[in-house]
């Protein structure tokens, strides 16, 4: 199964892997700010950049968690281009940038873009995930 999933990811390099829509709600902003201990008043109406990084992460993790390998976080590069406010709807698009295999390690590079309801790009992120075979 592992090789099949990796093969499928290699086939869609440069293409969209997942698309997920989210509504930004004040209750979610409050819970996130409280969880990370950042109670700045601006997070009552605007999404913290760290929250934007988490959108779509659950779906990516679910798909990779089925693999019988250790999933490691390699790196994150994030560029915030605009604010996301309460009431906004954002679409998270996860694209496969590259898949590289070397001995017992597979590195998957993902590009994640968030666009608001007006199709304005509000965040771009590059994530590196490493899968290490466990025997």
């Amino acid at each position: 199964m592992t090789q099949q999933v990796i093969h499928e990811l290699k086939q869609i390099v440069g293409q969209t892997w997942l698309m997920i829509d989210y509504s930004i709600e004040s209750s979610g902003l409050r819970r996130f700010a409280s969880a990370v201990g950042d109670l700045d008043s601006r997070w009552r109406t605007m999404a913290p950049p760290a929250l934007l990084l988490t959108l779509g992460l659950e779906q990516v993790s679910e798909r990779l968690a089925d693999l019988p390998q250790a999933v490691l976080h390699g790196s994150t590069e994030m560029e915030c281009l605009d604010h996301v406010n309460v009431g906004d709807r954002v679409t998270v698009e996860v694209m496969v940038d590259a898949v590289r295999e070397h001995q017992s390690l597979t590195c998957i590079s993902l590009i994640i873009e968030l666009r608001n309801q007006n199709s304005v790009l509000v965040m771009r992120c590059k994530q590196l995930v490493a899968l290490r075979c466990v025997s």
Side-chain angles (χ1 to χ4, degrees):
M1 168 136 167
T2 301
Q3 284 306 103
Q4 178 183 351
V5 172
I6 292 169
H7 177 73
E8 288 171 7
L9 289 175
K10 285 181 176 180
Q11 297 304 305
I12 60 168
V13 168
Q15 299 176 37
T16 299
W17 181 31
L18 299 168
M19 283 192 83
I20 310 120
D21 292 321
Y22 291 93
S23 292
I24 305 301
E25 300 173 354
S26 59
S27 61
L29 297 183
R30 277 195 310 274
R31 282 193 314 273
F32 183 84
S34 177
V36 299
D38 185 351
L39 303 178
D40 190 309
S41 62
R42 66 184 158 169
W43 306 142
R44 292 182 191 145
T45 58
M46 182 173 65
L51 171 68
L52 300 178
L53 276 175
T54 68
L55 299 179
L57 185 60
E58 182 178 351
Q59 288 83 351
V60 169
S61 297
E62 282 176 3
R63 291 188 182 211
L64 295 178
D66 289 338
L67 300 175
Q69 298 181 341
V71 178
L72 310 168
H73 176 259
S75 66
T76 300
E77 298 173 31
M78 177 178 154
E79 180 181 15
C80 290
L81 303 163
D82 205 347
H83 297 290
V84 175
N85 299 304
V86 169
D88 284 352
R89 291 200 44 81
V90 294
T91 299
V92 178
E93 181 179 10
V94 181
M95 295 163 279
V96 179
D97 186 45
V99 179
R100 293 180 208 82
E101 293 180 277
H102 180 69
Q103 297 176 347
S104 65
L105 193 66
T106 300
C107 293
I108 302 168
S109 177
L110 302 172
I111 295 176
I112 302 165
E113 293 185 345
L114 275 71
R115 294 181 187 279
N116 67 15
Q117 64 275 5
N118 300 316
S119 298
V120 173
L121 182 63
V122 295
M123 188 198 77
R124 179 179 294 122
C125 174
K126 189 166 188 173
Q127 293 269 355
L128 178 65
V129 177
L131 304 174
R132 187 181 65 78
C133 286
V134 284
S135 21

